[in-house]
């Protein structure tokens, strides 16, 4: 038996404080699946997905129901308990002892301290770069002031945050160019964006996004990157080697093999596992085995990637433990691994790697 009693959830968001009806619950499931919170197609339901089936497997018993009970019955029980009590029961049963929480999403989501209290766990903040830059822009009157304030804000945030994250910074391809932009390029882009920001423009300029990523690299904290194509980051990873910032590639299924490959090429590149496994549900063990074929074991990190629903923490933790026990257990039975090594690797991926990367010496 492979034992992983405590997990470090190295990337997640807060949970919703409000009571949820079927439509809102399904929208949150859809957002986790990459649907942006849109409702399911007419005549269909997001419960008919690997994640939906996993929710019905792992969560009902924690609220006093039988596994795989109908969604309507599960949600009725959830409302009967209330959002706060249901959330406490779910989070505390997940076995997650530490949450690293990206606070950059809008909405009525719990902050790190509140999530930690609900889950009886430690909690630390991950600062998302794009909203930070937008807040700086709103208080800076000139291009020069904005650029100076931006550098100061990023380095100041590093004093309290355990990491930075970037969502749009890689999606538009800024990190595909391995070198930082020049000062003239940055000033021109800042001027154009500040004018657009006055009318409510979001930070999408590729030059400024690239500049922001490079400021974060110099701030001495790990940088978590949402990646659509991990292979496109090879040049950026090579250029940032030895600069003091680890890069963590966040949950990009079905490109998990490419992410695993990059972790073996660059000493400071790590790969996130959580949602990759949660999205694949009953096939999670096969996907995990593929990742373990390519990545050094010290480069893999568990996370839930959960947003909005405490159920997603439970699903990620349960699916991860089940997949890990199946894969490593089979290798032990075959004689390919010793049980001691299997237990050591399981502890590394579950918590120890994250404690090292994020310097969480005091975590449980």
């Amino acid at each position: 038996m492979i034992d992983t009693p405590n997990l470090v959830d190295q990337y997640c968001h807060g949970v919703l404080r409000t009571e949820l009806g079927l439509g809102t619950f399904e929208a949150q499931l859809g957002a986790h699946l990459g649907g942006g919170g849109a409702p399911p197609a007419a005549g269909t339901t997001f419960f008919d997905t690997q994640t939906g089936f996993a929710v019905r497997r792992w969560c009902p018993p924690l609220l006093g129901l039988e596994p795989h009970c109908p969604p309507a019955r599960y949600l009725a029980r959830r409302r009967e308990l209330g959002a706060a009590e249901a959330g406490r029961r779910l989070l505390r049963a997940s076995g997650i002892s530490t949450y690293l929480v990206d606070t950059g999403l809008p909405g009525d989501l719990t902050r790190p301290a509140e999530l930690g209290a609900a889950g009886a766990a430690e909690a630390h903040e991950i600062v998302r770069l794009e909203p930070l830059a937008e807040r700086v822009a709103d208080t800076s009157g000139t291009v020069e002031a904005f650029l100076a304030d931006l550098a100061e804000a990023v380095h100041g945030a590093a004093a309290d945050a355990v990491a930075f994250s970037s969502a749009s910074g890689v999606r538009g391809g800024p990190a595909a160019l391995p070198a930082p932009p020049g000062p003239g390029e940055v000033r021109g882009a800042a001027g154009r964006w500040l004018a657009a920001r006055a009318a409510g423009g979001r930070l999408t300029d590729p030059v400024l996004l690239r500049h922001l990523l490079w400021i974060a690299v110099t701030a001495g904290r790990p940088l978590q990157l949402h990646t659509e194509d991990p292979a496109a980051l090879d040049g950026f990873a090579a250029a940032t080697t030895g600069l003091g910032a680890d890069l963590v590639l966040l949950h990009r299924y079905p490109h998990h093999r490419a992410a695993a490959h990059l972790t073996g090429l660059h000493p400071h590149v790590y790969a996130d596992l959580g949602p990759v496994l949660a999205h694949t549900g009953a096939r999670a063990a096969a996907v995990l085995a593929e990742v373990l074929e390519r990545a050094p074991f010290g480069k893999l990190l568990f996370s839930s990637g959960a947003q909005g629903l405490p159920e997603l923490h439970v699903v990620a933790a349960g699916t991860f433990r089940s997949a890990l026990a199946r894969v490593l257990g089979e290798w032990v039975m075959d004689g390919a691994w010793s049980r001691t090594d299997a237990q050591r690797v399981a502890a590394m991926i579950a918590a120890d790697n994250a404690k090292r990367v994020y310097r969480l010496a005091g975590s449980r």
Side-chain angles (χ1 to χ4, degrees), residues 29-194:
L29 275 183
H32 187 70
L33 293 167
T44 71
T45 170
F46 286 136
F47 276 101
D48 285 338
T49 61
Q50 289 283 11
T51 301
F53 273 37
V55 167
R56 292 174 54 215
R57 173 190 179 183
W58 297 103
C59 298
L62 305 181
L63 303 187
L65 300 171
E66 71 278 9
H68 304 292
C69 72
R73 186 176 177 199
Y74 176 75
L75 292 176
R77 174 59 173 161
R78 202 182 191 278
R79 289 192 296 272
E80 178 185 325
L81 290 170
E85 177 60 21
R88 279 193 293 270
R89 293 191 185 192
L90 292 164
L91 292 171
R92 295 184 182 197
S94 70
I96 295 171
S97 61
T98 305
Y99 299 99
L100 308 189
V101 187
D102 183 338
T103 56
L105 292 185
D108 186 26
L109 300 173
T110 53
R111 300 287 296 178
E114 191 176 354
L115 182 66
E122 297 178 15
H124 305 275
E125 184 176 13
I126 301 165
V127 171
R128 185 170 289 202
L129 292 171
E130 292 82 8
L132 176 63
E134 290 167 359
R135 292 193 297 271
V136 170
D138 292 339
T139 59
S140 301
T142 66
V143 168
E144 290 74 17
F146 166 68
L147 294 176
D149 292 347
L150 182 61
E152 183 178 348
V154 172
H155 285 269
D160 298 314
V162 294
F164 293 106
S165 72
S166 175
S168 60
V170 178
R171 191 167 299 133
L177 296 173
E185 253 190 302
V186 173
R187 284 194 296 272
R192 292 189 298 273
W193 180 59
L194 288 177

Side-chain angles (χ1 to χ4, degrees), residues 35 52 76 88 93 99 103 163-164 195 209 216 228 245 259 262 292 301 308 316 318 327:
R88 279 193 293 270
Y99 299 99
T103 56
F164 293 106
L209 289 170
E228 289 192 348
L262 277 185
L292 292 173
L301 307 168
V327 172

Side-chain angles (χ1 to χ4, degrees), residues 2-364:
I2 306 301
D3 187 27
T4 51
N6 295 314
L7 303 175
V8 173
D9 188 346
Q10 74 100 33
Y11 184 83
C12 66
H13 303 279
V15 300
L16 289 166
R17 300 183 177 94
T18 53
E19 303 292 341
L20 302 179
L22 177 61
T24 306
F25 194 96
E26 287 226 23
Q28 292 297 315
L29 275 183
H32 187 70
L33 293 167
T44 71
T45 170
F46 286 136
F47 276 101
D48 285 338
T49 61
Q50 289 283 11
T51 301
F53 273 37
V55 167
R56 292 174 54 215
R57 173 190 179 183
W58 297 103
C59 298
L62 305 181
L63 303 187
L65 300 171
E66 71 278 9
H68 304 292
C69 72
R73 186 176 177 199
Y74 176 75
L75 292 176
R77 174 59 173 161
R78 202 182 191 278
R79 289 192 296 272
E80 178 185 325
L81 290 170
E85 177 60 21
R88 279 193 293 270
R89 293 191 185 192
L90 292 164
L91 292 171
R92 295 184 182 197
S94 70
I96 295 171
S97 61
T98 305
Y99 299 99
L100 308 189
V101 187
D102 183 338
T103 56
L105 292 185
D108 186 26
L109 300 173
T110 53
R111 300 287 296 178
E114 191 176 354
L115 182 66
E122 297 178 15
H124 305 275
E125 184 176 13
I126 301 165
V127 171
R128 185 170 289 202
L129 292 171
E130 292 82 8
L132 176 63
E134 290 167 359
R135 292 193 297 271
V136 170
D138 292 339
T139 59
S140 301
T142 66
V143 168
E144 290 74 17
F146 166 68
L147 294 176
D149 292 347
L150 182 61
E152 183 178 348
V154 172
H155 285 269
D160 298 314
V162 294
F164 293 106
S165 72
S166 175
S168 60
V170 178
R171 191 167 299 133
L177 296 173
E185 253 190 302
V186 173
R187 284 194 296 272
R192 292 189 298 273
W193 180 59
L194 288 177
R197 181 64 183 167
R202 304 300 300 272
L203 178 53
T204 59
D205 184 278
V207 172
L208 278 184
L209 289 170
R210 196 158 115 242
H211 176 65
L212 188 57
L213 290 176
W214 277 95
I215 295 174
V217 165
T218 67
R221 293 291 185 185
L223 175 58
Q224 300 177 333
L225 300 170
H226 292 259
T227 64
E228 289 192 348
D229 179 8
L233 293 176
D234 186 51
F236 182 71
T240 54
T241 301
L243 298 184
D246 290 325
L247 307 181
V248 183
L249 310 180
L250 294 177
H251 44 262
R252 289 315 304 175
Y253 182 79
H255 301 294
H256 52 289
R257 281 179 174 270
H261 179 61
L262 277 185
T263 66
L265 292 179
H266 304 286
H268 63 309
V269 175
Y270 295 77
D272 171 82
L273 275 179
V276 167
L277 303 183
H279 286 176
T280 50
R283 290 281 298 163
V287 174
L288 176 61
E290 291 179 350
V291 175
L292 292 173
E293 291 172 3
R294 306 290 296 271
F297 310 134
K299 294 296 201 72
L300 298 174
L301 307 168
F302 164 78
S303 85
S304 69
Q307 168 189 339
L309 301 177
E311 283 84 354
L312 297 176
H313 292 279
V314 174
V315 164
T319 303
F320 169 75
R321 284 195 175 97
S322 176
L324 197 66
R326 181 180 301 181
V327 172
L328 300 191
E330 287 181 1
W331 294 348
V332 170
M333 290 291 290
D334 289 344
W337 287 33
S338 72
R339 186 170 298 279
T340 299
D341 280 340
Q343 184 59 63
R344 183 172 57 85
V345 170
M348 288 165 58
I349 299 173
D352 293 347
N353 291 340
K355 291 177 182 179
R356 172 170 45 83
V357 171
Y358 298 105
R359 306 170 199 167
L360 304 175
S363 292
R364 290 170 282 176

